[in-house]
Amino acid sequence: MNQSHDPSFTPLSDLHTNALRRRLVEVMVLLLVVIAIGLGVYALAFRSELDQAAGRAKADLALSTDRLRTGLERYRELSVILAEHPTVTSLILQRGGTNPELHDAAAQLLQRMADKTGSQSLVLVSNTGRVLAASQSSILPAGADAAFARAMNGALGVAHFVDGNGARRFVYAAPVFKPNGAAQGAVLVNVDVESIEWGWPADPFAVYFTDTDDVIFVTNRTELILAGGGAGDFPVARKRVIGGHDVWSMVAGPYIPASVLHISQPLPVVDMTGELLYDLAPVRTLAAMQAGMAGAIAFAFGAFLVLATERRRTLFEANTRLEASVATRTQALEIANRDLMREVTEREEAEARLKRAQADLVQAGKLSALGEMSAGISHELNQPLMAIRSFSENAQLFLERGNATKAGENLGRIADLSRRMGRIIKNLRAFARQENEAISDVDLSAVVDAALEMTMGKIHAGGVSIDWQPVPNTMVRGGDVRLQQVVMNLVSNAVDAVADSDLKQVSIALGVPDAHSDTAADMVRLSIRDTGGGIFEPEKIFEPFYSTKHVGAAQGMGLGLSISYGLIQSFGGTIQGHNPAGGGAEFVITLPAARAVTPLQETV
């Protein structure tokens, strides 16, 4: 057969050309997909890191604003204290008399306080504006008129300004009152802002405080002093909003990053706004690293996919040229592959059914426990109901006889019994529901109280005494309802274990694993001990379907301890059972303590 005349025949050179062109297209598509994935991951990672950086920046800005408030607070208090000093009030009230000793005493007082506090100057001014005494200059600080005017109105005045030498000043003016009268003068405390800035620790980020004219008055970066507003250009090249955050591009020299996150916080006490410029270089680096890793993974996966696709295509082209026997084998291989996929699907469905069965088994364990306790719970509810009926009838008789006091007491007892019944029903409803909440902080003492309240009917019916001293606010990590299920199961087992004992007692205690260990503050210990016959095979007690109860003694299937073991492990804790030296059996649960310090940790 002449292949040159066969319409289905393709020359070998054309096949190579088509294959090369196809590979180039696949590589270009792969690169475009990898770039798109990298850019998408970078954008998401940058926004996520930006949110975290905003939280850190707000905390840093809060610390800086506290430092500024603290630095100015002592001068504010100094002005108020001096305004009430006897020497100051005496000089003000004599309205500039001719007593030179009083003038000298006031001047010396102001000088000593200025030296001790680092104030630029302290000035005592009369209500007419005349300087009566001063620590240095006898001239009223320029720019302090607003603060002085406010002090003359009876309020604490504050002002900030730039003096003639270009120094930035804060002035506090505290009024000096005439006894039972208006302000007769004021004490002005002049503060050099630069002295406050020198006392700040070195911050990695630029922090500054602007006034109502957007002029930077206080900052930890000298290149930003008095920038902004009408005083000077602020070095911002571009402002953007990304994810609800202000992102600025800066041109402010080597000590301020080119890209920053801008955070602000108002300071109404000093009529300023605190602002911080957070360097975004680490944020962009982390986002780029995540994008690079995602791009590398995508590229590796895409390359593998391209190679696999090319291999499949090559095999397919080769298989089309093989004999019929090869086609038959290929068909058999496809059938086997479909069977394998079906088997994988069946196994995945079986695994999902197993997980649902495990969840149903936990819920069935709770419902089984509720069924076992139904008689006791009915008794716990029936007894308050009968008491309510009696108290209500007695209250009615007391009302008919005009004895409202006794009737009120009966109504109070009815309210207490109703609350008790409501608490029991609330615990039952919470215990019976299917809990899907994540692990959270749980009060372990309250969990034990709720479990005892739901098992109290069984405890009373068995004549068992409970030794339990609650420790409120003992917080651990876990699930409220699931922990109740574990405690109820252990208490119910303990009550069953002491059924044939002379001493029917169950002891429950909270503590820490070991007061001398390094992890004592990280774990909380709950022990449940009974006076029964002990555990026959401690190594098997947590195995499924293992039970030591007599046939007919309970409806359980030996799954309670196995379920409890799994629940405690899911909370990051441990559960162990053993026979203590004094007899009986003891189960010990250790759970991670919550972040807040519990009363148990305080005693340790």
Side-chain angles (χ1 to χ4, degrees):
M1 178 179 178
N2 189 359
Q3 294 180 343
S4 61
H5 298 286
D6 187 357
S8 62
F9 174 75
T10 302
L12 186 60
S13 59
D14 292 344
L15 290 176
H16 288 169
T17 302
N18 293 336
L20 181 60
R21 185 181 296 111
R22 184 174 60 248
R23 291 190 185 96
L24 289 175
V25 171
E26 291 174 348
V27 170
M28 292 298 296
V29 171
L30 175 61
L31 292 176
L32 292 176
V33 170
V34 170
I35 292 173
I37 292 175
L39 292 176
V41 172
Y42 178 83
L44 293 175
F46 180 75
R47 287 176 178 267
S48 175
E49 294 294 334
L50 191 61
D51 292 337
Q52 299 181 27
R56 294 190 294 268
K58 289 179 180 178
D60 291 339
L61 180 57
L63 290 176
S64 298
T65 56
D66 288 342
R67 282 199 297 265
L68 178 61
R69 279 196 293 260
T70 302
L72 294 174
E73 186 70 17
R74 59 176 178 173
Y75 298 107
R76 175 181 176 274
E77 294 176 353
L78 175 62
S79 65
V80 174
I81 292 173
L82 287 177
E84 298 177 354
H85 196 279
T87 302
V88 172
T89 55
S90 298
L91 184 59
I92 284 290
L93 294 179
Q94 76 163 357
R95 294 184 174 275
T98 59
N99 187 349
E101 296 180 355
L102 188 58
H103 279 273
D104 293 342
Q108 292 175 6
L109 172 65
L110 296 180
Q111 185 62 53
R112 287 198 308 271
M113 297 308 295
D115 294 339
K116 291 180 180 180
T117 60
S119 304
Q120 183 67 22
S121 64
L122 298 176
V123 183
L124 178 61
V125 186
S126 67
N127 56 1
T128 61
R130 187 165 65 90
V131 176
L132 302 180
S135 62
Q136 292 180 357
S137 175
S138 60
I139 301 175
L140 187 68
D145 296 338
F148 177 72
R150 182 172 174 81
M152 290 301 96
N153 290 327
L156 178 67
V158 59
H160 63 274
F161 55 89
V162 180
D163 63 12
N165 298 324
R168 293 161 293 146
R169 308 292 187 194
F170 258 102
V171 171
Y172 283 103
V176 181
F177 294 101
K178 180 180 181 181
N180 300 323
Q184 299 299 308
V187 175
L188 276 68
V189 179
N190 187 10
V191 185
D192 188 355
V193 173
E194 187 174 352
S195 65
I196 299 177
E197 294 172 343
W198 276 108
W200 288 357
D203 290 327
F205 307 114
V207 180
Y208 56 91
F209 299 87
T210 58
D211 57 17
T212 55
D213 296 327
D214 291 333
V215 176
I216 298 176
F217 197 75
V218 185
T219 180
N220 62 351
R221 295 292 190 271
T222 56
E223 59 267 34
L224 296 179
I225 293 176
L226 300 180
D233 295 333
F234 190 72
V236 179
R238 182 185 180 189
K239 296 182 179 180
R240 292 175 294 166
V241 178
I242 301 177
H245 303 290
D246 293 335
V247 177
W248 291 0
S249 298
M250 306 293 293
V251 285
Y255 299 106
I256 295 181
S259 179
V260 297
L261 171 65
H262 173 254
I263 300 294
S264 64
Q265 176 182 342
L267 280 77
V269 176
V270 294
D271 200 18
M272 288 191 172
T273 301
E275 302 180 52
L276 182 142
L277 303 179
Y278 189 93
D279 187 5
L280 290 181
V283 174
R284 296 186 183 278
T285 301
L286 288 174
M289 291 176 60
Q290 296 181 39
M293 293 178 62
I297 294 174
F299 181 79
F301 180 78
F304 175 77
L305 185 62
V306 169
L307 292 176
T309 303
E310 183 65 22
R311 180 178 177 83
R312 287 175 61 87
R313 185 183 298 112
T314 303
L315 290 176
F316 176 77
E317 292 175 355
N319 286 339
T320 57
R321 301 176 183 272
L322 294 178
E323 300 175 349
S325 59
V326 177
T328 302
R329 292 182 180 181
T330 302
Q331 184 178 5
L333 180 61
E334 291 177 353
I335 294 174
N337 187 40
R338 286 195 296 271
D339 293 339
L340 180 61
M341 293 297 295
R342 183 171 59 254
E343 183 179 353
V344 170
T345 303
E346 290 175 354
R347 293 195 176 188
E348 290 177 349
E349 293 176 352
E351 182 180 359
R353 288 195 297 271
L354 177 60
K355 291 182 178 179
R356 289 195 298 269
Q358 289 174 341
D360 293 340
L361 186 60
V362 172
Q363 185 68 9
K366 292 194 291 185
L367 297 179
S368 176
L370 288 177
E372 184 180 350
M373 296 183 300
S374 59
I377 294 171
S378 299
H379 175 74
E380 289 294 317
L381 293 176
N382 186 58
Q383 190 177 22
L385 281 174
M386 295 300 294
I388 288 173
R389 177 180 177 183
S390 298
F391 284 132
S392 61
E393 292 174 352
N394 292 339
Q396 185 177 6
L397 292 176
F398 282 129
L399 288 175
E400 292 175 356
R401 297 174 182 176
N403 193 342
T405 302
K406 287 292 185 179
E409 293 177 358
N410 284 2
L411 291 176
R413 295 188 182 99
I414 291 173
D416 292 338
L417 291 171
S418 300
R419 282 192 291 270
R420 175 186 172 190
M421 293 175 62
R423 189 170 62 252
I424 294 174
I425 294 172
K426 178 182 177 182
N427 290 336
L428 288 173
R429 291 177 60 189
F431 181 76
R433 75 173 185 263
Q434 186 79 24
E435 186 185 44
N436 296 318
E437 289 81 2
I439 296 176
S440 62
D441 294 350
V442 177
D443 187 351
L444 185 56
S445 183
V447 168
V448 176
D449 288 337
L452 289 177
E453 194 166 48
M454 287 188 285
T455 55
M456 194 55 66
K458 182 174 182 178
I459 293 171
H460 287 164
V464 180
S465 63
I466 300 295
D467 181 11
W468 159 240
Q469 295 296 329
V471 183
N473 298 324
T474 303
M475 307 303 293
V476 297
R477 299 290 294 169
D480 193 8
V481 176
R482 288 170 283 179
L483 278 177
Q484 287 184 23
Q485 182 177 0
V486 173
V487 176
M488 280 185 60
N489 182 63
L490 295 179
V491 172
S492 180
N493 287 347
V495 172
D496 292 336
V498 300
D500 299 329
S501 300
D502 296 333
L503 177 60
K504 299 180 180 181
Q505 183 176 356
V506 176
S507 301
I508 305 174
L510 284 173
V512 293
D514 183 0
H516 301 289
S517 67
D518 295 335
T519 60
D522 299 329
M523 304 296 290
V524 175
R525 177 181 184 270
L526 173 65
S527 66
I528 300 177
R529 180 174 179 177
D530 60 62
T531 58
I535 306 172
F536 295 106
E537 294 177 297
E539 69 279 1
K540 295 183 179 180
I541 55 176
F542 296 112
E543 294 181 2
F545 305 106
Y546 175 79
S547 177
T548 60
K549 298 178 181 179
H550 299 294
V551 176
Q555 299 297 325
M557 298 181 294
L559 293 174
L561 290 178
S562 178
I563 293 173
S564 300
Y565 183 85
L567 291 176
I568 294 300
Q569 277 199 331
S570 68
F571 301 146
T574 62
I575 179 172
Q576 296 176 345
H578 66 281
N579 296 320
E586 183 180 24
F587 285 85
V588 178
I589 298 173
T590 57
L591 290 167
R595 296 182 181 90
V597 177
T598 66
L600 288 174
Q601 295 168 4
E602 292 175 353
T603 59
V604 174

